[in-house]
Amino acid sequence: RLFGIDLNKMTTKRDENGVLIRPYHGPKVPEAMGVISGMMFLVVMFLYIPFAFAHYYDKDPKEFEFPHHKLTEFVAALLSIACMCFLGFADNVLDLRWRHKLLLPSAATLPLLMVYWVNGGVTYVMVPPVLSDILGGSINLGILYYVYMGMLAVFCTNAINILAGVNGLEAGQSVVIGISILANNILQLNRLTNQAGRENHLFSLVFMIPFLATSLALLYHNWFPSRVFVGDTFCYFAGMTFAVVAILGHFSKTLLLFFLPQIANFLYSCPQLFKMIPCPRHRMPSLDPKTGKIGMSFCEFKPKELPFLGKVVYKILRGLKLVYCVDQEDTVKMNNLTLINFSLYVFGPMREDWLTICLLTQQIFCSILAFLIRYKLAAVFYAVVH
């Protein structure tokens, strides 16, 4: 059995200074329950396959050709998601290193990218009119487009995984993104008139409905105080599901707009992720046992010992007041570079459930902003917005 210790609870043992005692002793919570959500999603989707193509069964094959390419896309999408569920569970059990976590999604997307290539997937991007005289109306990226799609899968799976650490956050942000994709699909189904575009968004809709059903059930149990942990399995499962529908539904740029908080968290985290500033094993916020509120977590380092890029980044972050720093003789105590800690820096310590609500409110606001950019601002740069 896989169990984890919920560190940010009053019942977790601490010393007189409030520091956690190793080995950790506290409420045991079942780990990696995202695998149940992922498996239920896959079971539902596998059972749905016969119904998705049922209207072709009584057709005359001489008059109506069975859409083998659509079936292939469907199965390849489920294969990629199933691979990530398995690899995510392996990560929970084996505690893989980050360099392996970057490679796993790339391997899992290979079936999807091969099907995309075999079915003659589009590899060109539209150019804004202001640049069309120089670059033309569109640019064919060729193999670079496949690299972009592979990197999209890597980003989606890991972006959710690094914006985590409080009850309900991983499942909550995935539900908000899923609802945003669902709303975009419904909106596009009512706007588009061409059959190919409608089929793309209908494909996405079919995946998002069971995904939201299983994720909402998981969120119910993962909400504060958490009765289960979602684990890396759910983060990989959710990220790959988003990447799959965006790639095969041809709205990958719109998906990135829904990931604005995750992009901001990644950019803010880069100095620690790329070792410019010391990065502890866990950067999750910490509980103050005296107040019962969640506060920032910190890293300590000597500015003089930082590499050149680290010194530059540290000075910029401190100069722009994007970090909270406490000077201690020749060392500096600075908050860890995550969106969670930055929110605590801006809004102050708060209860864990209110922290999750604060972060999910940011996610919802960014989704609204994404729709405004996608359907209003895009019209400024493109003559036709599909």
Side-chain angles (χ1 to χ4, degrees), residues 149-165:
M149 290 189 290
M151 293 176 63
L152 178 69
V154 173
F155 173 77
C156 289
T157 51
N158 287 287
I160 296 174
N161 200 16
I162 64 174
L163 184 55

Side-chain angles (χ1 to χ4, degrees), residues 340-350 355 358-359 362:
I340 302 174
N341 285 305
F342 183 75
S343 297
L344 291 167
Y345 167 47
V346 173
F347 299 108
M350 61 185 82
L355 175 58
C358 174
L359 292 164
Q362 296 173 35

Side-chain angles (χ1 to χ4, degrees), residues 115-334:
V115 169
Y116 189 89
W117 175 68
V118 170
N119 290 340
V122 176
T123 59
Y124 65 85
V125 293
M126 301 300 295
V127 176
V130 293
L131 298 175
S132 59
D133 292 338
I134 303 173
L135 302 175
S138 62
I139 299 177
N140 187 1
L141 297 179
I143 189 65
L144 293 178
Y145 196 82
Y146 290 90
V147 175
Y148 157 72
M149 290 189 290
M151 293 176 63
L152 178 69
V154 173
F155 173 77
C156 289
T157 51
N158 287 287
I160 296 174
N161 200 16
I162 64 174
L163 184 55
V166 292
N167 292 172
L169 182 56
E170 298 98 313
Q173 64 183 295
S174 299
V175 166
V176 174
I177 295 172
I179 291 174
S180 301
I181 293 174
L182 188 72
N184 181 62
N185 295 148
I186 295 172
L187 185 61
Q188 289 290 62
L189 285 171
N190 284 284
R191 291 177 71 250
L192 297 177
T193 55
N194 61 310
Q195 186 63 23
R198 291 177 61 85
E199 286 182 356
N200 289 335
H201 287 280
L202 188 61
F203 172 88
S204 174
L205 199 68
V206 166
F207 274 72
M208 280 298 103
I209 292 174
F211 171 80
L212 283 172
T214 56
S215 297
L216 283 168
L218 183 62
L219 177 60
Y220 173 78
H221 293 284
N222 184 234
W223 192 258
F224 177 89
S226 179
R227 296 181 292 279
V228 300
F229 287 153
V230 301
D232 294 335
T233 309
F234 178 78
C235 299
Y236 287 170
F237 155 58
M240 183 56 73
T241 303
F242 295 147
V244 161
V245 297
I247 291 172
L248 295 181
H250 299 283
F251 58 89
S252 59
K253 294 185 291 294
T254 303
L255 177 69
L256 288 175
L257 291 175
F258 295 140
F259 269 78
L260 286 177
Q262 287 72 25
I263 294 173
N265 181 62
F266 171 73
L267 294 176
Y268 189 58
S269 298
C270 277
Q272 286 191 312
L273 295 179
F274 294 104
K275 305 299 183 183
M276 289 180 273
I277 292 175
C279 182
R281 181 71 176 86
H282 295 290
R283 301 184 298 162
M284 59 186 291
S286 57
L287 175 72
D288 184 348
K290 296 179 181 179
T291 62
K293 294 182 178 180
I294 300 294
M296 294 178 286
S297 62
F298 296 90
C299 62
E300 294 187 22
F301 57 89
K302 295 181 179 180
K304 293 181 179 180
E305 296 180 357
L306 292 175
F308 174 74
L309 281 178
K311 292 177 181 177
V312 172
V313 170
Y314 166 67
K315 289 180 180 179
I316 292 174
L317 291 173
R318 185 157 188 173
L320 295 176
K321 296 184 178 180
L322 295 176
V323 290
Y324 176 80
C325 295
V326 178
D327 294 315
Q328 300 174 332
E329 295 181 359
D330 61 338
T331 64
V332 171
K333 186 178 179 182
M334 186 183 78

Side-chain angles (χ1 to χ4, degrees), residues 2 32 34-35 38-39 42 78-111 153-154 157-158 161 230-238 240:
L2 291 174
V35 70
M39 291 303 103
L42 290 171
L78 292 179
L79 176 60
S80 292
I81 295 171
C83 285
M84 285 313 300
C85 287
F86 170 75
L87 294 173
F89 185 73
D91 186 15
N92 280 122
V93 175
L94 303 175
D95 194 19
L96 300 176
R97 295 181 179 275
W98 271 106
R99 60 175 176 268
H100 300 138
K101 293 182 181 183
L102 295 176
L103 294 175
L104 295 181
S106 302
T109 55
L110 287 178
V154 173
T157 51
N158 287 287
N161 200 16
V230 301
D232 294 335
T233 309
F234 178 78
C235 299
Y236 287 170
F237 155 58
M240 183 56 73

